[in-house]
Amino acid sequence: MRLGEVLDVIERLMTASGHPEIAAVSRYGADAVAGGPSPAGVRVRYTSGAEAYLWGAIWPGENVLPTPDVLPWPARADRIAVFTARLLDAARPAALSEWHVVALDGLGPPDARGKAPRGLRIVAADGTSVLLRATAAGAPMPEPAEDPYPDWKIEA
C-alpha cells in the first residue's frame, strides 16, 4: 500500500469523524513516498485556527506507546496522533492491519523527549509499513486551558 492510499484512509476518517473542533481536513504535498522534498500528509485545521499534520516520514528510532484513553491537551501534535489511532480503532479499515501510536527519538517536550506520542506506525493489509509523523502549528489566539470537548466520543 502506498503512502497516498494510507493518507486517503485517514483523510476520510477525519472528515467523517464529526469532531466539533475540526473545521477542515485536507491533503498536501506531492511525494509518493516518505523522505522527499514535498512531504505528503493530511492537514487538520481546528476552529481555533491551530493546525495539525500527519505526514509520511523517515525517522531513526521510534517507540510504540499505548494509545491513551484521553486525548492529549493542549499539544496538538500529540492530540492528532492519538485521535487518529482512536479513529482507526473504531473504524478498523480493511486496508490496514495494524497501527500504533509511537514516540520518536529526540522529539517531545524537554521532560518527555522520545516519550510523547508524535506519530503513528501503520501497517497495511499487504504488509507494507508507513510512519506518519505528527506536527502542529499554533492558533492565532491562546488555546483554552482545558480541552473544550472532553466528553466527545468516536461513534463507531
Side-chain angles (χ1 to χ4, degrees):
M1 183 171 218
R2 296 182 183 148
L3 173 60
E5 294 168 313
V6 171
L7 295 172
D8 287 344
V9 170
I10 290 171
E11 180 186 23
R12 281 193 301 274
L13 289 174
M14 287 182 177
T15 300
S17 75
H19 195 289
E21 83 173 328
I22 294 178
V25 178
S26 60
R27 288 280 299 279
Y28 66 92
D31 290 345
V33 295
S38 180
V42 174
R43 173 189 303 115
V44 175
R45 179 169 289 125
Y46 298 99
T47 55
S48 69
E51 293 184 340
Y53 313 89
L54 283 173
W55 49 278
I58 297 171
W59 199 264
E62 62 187 69
N63 305 302
V64 173
L65 301 173
T67 303
D69 293 331
V70 176
L71 288 176
W73 184 262
R76 292 287 184 181
D78 299 356
R79 189 172 176 88
I80 195 68
V82 172
F83 180 70
T84 303
R86 291 173 69 193
L87 284 176
L88 290 167
D89 286 344
R92 300 263 174 222
L96 307 178
S97 62
E98 59 184 271
W99 45 88
H100 306 280
V101 173
V102 296
L104 300 173
D105 287 353
L107 296 181
D111 62 338
R113 295 262 189 253
K115 297 177 185 170
R118 291 294 162 97
L120 291 166
R121 171 60 67 185
I122 297 182
V123 180
D126 66 6
T128 57
S129 178
V130 169
L131 172 65
L132 298 179
R133 183 173 166 201
T135 56
M141 304 296 279
E143 295 271 26
E146 295 183 17
D147 182 349
Y149 304 99
D151 297 327
W152 186 85
K153 302 284 185 228
I154 294 170
E155 299 293 326

